[in-house]
């Protein structure tokens, strides 16, 4: 039996060395996601900084472009997500400018934009222009519905929405519930938005997303290392779904609060959804801080 899951597997890392390691573990890799915090952890960039080198904005972008192109050499067919710089003041026009520039770095890029008001305006414009998108820092069904609505015009572009599991767990909510809820909400949609489970921190969250058969999971190398140790167990093949659900240990149901499903109409205008979320705001601030730290700001 082919043990490859139907879910596409991406690596969450800003280090091309990890790309090859993930392929060695899995035998393949469907794509990779990056973000400013992951770029800030890249060993080569870190080496430069510890040597006292200060990077200018152009030099940092050049480093980012090199990382992306190095990943591309390893997974030429894979989708690679590149994130725009955004802080709380960044306007949609500035996101669009960066997106169009980054989109030239490689073929088959997905441009990451924050799921806030300006990001959604940019997403609408960019999807009309055929730019592939990955809407990041999503923490609610309302935000995922707004992504769906804002990009509905997308004819040729591919759109992902990235709900962050681990960061919901951090505030005491069962992050994987949001994944299940968005999957259910999208069930009767035109499926132009693919569900990409992100901020996956451990094997339990990973296996649960496989069980849900989400479109895509992005996970750090350490999760793939753990999965390889489990002989790449697949819920539904190696683990009976009922038995899997009974395995209370897979999810921390004792400590985390369930997230209830909400009926959301997908056919409203994007501005009519409740898209503000404190974790999106915090996430934007943190990405901006990590990026600016590289510039000595
Ligand atoms: O894929 C998004 C991811 O990089 C964020 O992960 O662990 O910082 O919440 P984390």
């Amino acid at each position: 039996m082919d043990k490859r899951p139907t879910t596409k597997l991406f690596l969450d890392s800003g280090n091309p060395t990890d790309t090859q390691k993930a392929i060695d573990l899995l035998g393949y890799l469907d794509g990779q996601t990056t973000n400013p915090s992951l770029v800030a952890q890249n060993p080569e960039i870190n080496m430069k900084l510890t040597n006292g080198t200060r990077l200018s904005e152009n030099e940092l972008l050049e480093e980012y472009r090199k990382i992306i192109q190095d990943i591309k050499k390893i997974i030429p067919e894979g989708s690679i997500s590149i994130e725009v710089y955004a802080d709380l003041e960044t306007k949609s026009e500035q996101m669009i400018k960066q997106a169009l520039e980054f989109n030239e770095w490689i073929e088959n890029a997905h441009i990451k934009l924050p799921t806030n008001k300006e990001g959604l305006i940019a997403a609408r414009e960019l999807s009309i222009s055929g730019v592939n998108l990955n809407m990041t820092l999503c923490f609610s069904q309302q935000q995922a519905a707004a992504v769906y609505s804002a990009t509905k015009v997308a004819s040729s572009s591919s759109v992902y929405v990235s709900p962050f599991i681990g960061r919901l767990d951090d505030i005491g909510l069962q992050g994987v519930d949001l994944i299940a809820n968005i999957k259910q909400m999208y069930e009767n949609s035109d499926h132009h938005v693919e569900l990409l489970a992100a901020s996956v921190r451990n094997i339990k969250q990973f296996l649960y997303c496989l069980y849900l058969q989400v479109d895509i999971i992005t996970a750090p190398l350490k999760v793939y290392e753990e999965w390889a140790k489990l002989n790449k167990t697949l819920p539904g093949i190696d683990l009976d779904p009922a038995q899997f659900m009974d395995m209370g240990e897979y999810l921390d149901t004792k400590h985390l609060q369930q997230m209830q499903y909400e009926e959301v109409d997908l056919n409203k205008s994007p501005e009519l959804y409740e898209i503000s979320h404190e974790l999106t705001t915090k996430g934007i601030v943190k990405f901006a801080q990590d990026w600016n730290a590289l510039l000595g700001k």
Side-chain angles (χ1 to χ4, degrees):
M1 190 184 307
D2 181 15
K3 274 195 65 177
R4 202 159 152 160
T6 48
T7 296
K8 285 179 264 181
L9 299 182
F10 287 10
L11 176 71
D12 198 28
S13 168
N15 182 0
T17 310
D18 289 350
T19 317
Q20 190 54 54
K21 286 185 187 161
I23 292 174
D24 295 344
L25 283 171
L26 303 176
Y28 69 99
L29 190 64
D30 295 307
Q32 185 154 342
T33 48
T34 68
N35 66 40
S37 304
L38 293 172
V39 171
Q41 289 160 24
N42 176 282
E44 281 183 33
I45 292 189
N46 270 291
M47 183 113 67
K48 286 197 175 158
L49 294 179
T50 41
N51 288 344
T53 313
R54 279 276 151 253
L55 295 172
S56 69
E57 255 167 68
N58 281 342
E59 284 166 339
L60 181 53
L61 279 178
E62 193 48 35
E63 293 290 333
Y64 195 9
R65 190 174 64 86
K66 187 173 162 298
I67 290 169
I68 296 296
Q69 289 176 341
D70 284 350
I71 296 168
K72 181 75 180 168
K73 282 183 206 143
I74 306 170
I75 44 167
E77 307 298 325
S79 144
I80 304 172
S81 289
I82 313 170
E83 186 154 339
V84 301
Y85 171 85
D87 56 33
L88 297 176
E89 268 72 55
T90 307
K91 295 287 173 214
S92 59
E93 297 79 27
Q94 295 163 288
M95 293 187 201
I96 292 170
K97 186 167 176 285
Q98 294 177 73
L100 294 174
E101 187 186 327
F102 298 172
N103 200 39
E104 295 296 312
W105 287 356
I106 51 164
E107 264 180 48
N108 205 15
H110 276 78
I111 304 300
K112 285 175 92 174
L113 305 169
T115 311
N116 65 355
K117 183 169 167 266
E118 297 297 322
L120 286 162
I121 295 171
R124 194 185 140 76
E125 291 298 312
L126 289 164
S127 61
I128 292 170
S129 313
V131 174
N132 297 334
L133 299 171
N134 178 351
M135 299 304 292
T136 191
L137 292 165
C138 170
F139 295 96
S140 72
Q141 273 184 250
Q142 291 276 335
Q143 287 177 314
V147 168
Y148 179 88
S149 163
T151 57
K152 203 155 190 285
V153 282
S155 48
S156 56
S157 83
S158 140
V159 181
Y160 303 152
V161 66
S162 291
F164 275 31
I165 298 171
R167 294 193 193 183
L168 285 164
D169 285 15
D170 288 344
I171 59 160
L173 297 172
Q174 182 81 275
V176 288
D177 287 345
L178 177 63
I179 304 290
N181 293 344
I182 295 173
K183 186 169 161 60
Q184 184 180 341
M185 181 177 76
Y186 282 171
E187 218 99 277
N188 294 318
S189 74
D190 66 10
H191 297 281
H192 78 273
V193 181
E194 289 182 85
L195 177 54
L196 191 167
S199 182
V200 172
R201 309 246 181 91
N202 59 51
I203 189 74
K204 298 175 187 179
Q205 296 161 337
F206 176 76
L207 286 175
Y208 198 76
C209 290
L210 283 184
Y211 163 73
L212 291 173
Q213 298 191 317
V214 298
D215 299 307
I216 308 161
I217 302 174
T218 190
L221 190 63
K222 75 173 174 74
V223 169
Y224 289 128
E225 283 166 348
E226 249 181 284
W227 192 43
K229 276 194 218 142
L230 291 180
N231 197 21
K232 296 192 259 165
T233 296
L234 289 182
I237 295 182
D238 307 308
L239 277 176
D240 171 64
Q243 173 204 5
F244 176 70
M245 289 305 284
D246 280 347
M247 294 173 77
E249 81 213 55
Y250 267 86
L251 295 175
D252 188 2
T253 40
K254 274 194 215 120
H255 304 103
L256 298 175
Q257 194 188 325
Q258 247 186 302
M259 294 181 78
Q260 299 300 333
Y261 182 75
E262 191 190 339
E263 286 297 339
V264 183
D265 177 4
L266 290 174
N267 297 310
K268 298 194 294 186
S269 298
E271 64 280 5
L272 296 178
Y273 296 95
E274 281 297 323
I275 55 149
S276 66
H277 198 289
E278 54 154 340
L279 290 181
T280 305
T281 307
K282 276 191 187 162
I284 291 171
V285 170
K286 176 79 170 86
F287 281 157
Q289 271 171 355
D290 286 348
W291 187 258
N292 285 326
L294 296 172
L295 300 167
K297 287 189 190 168

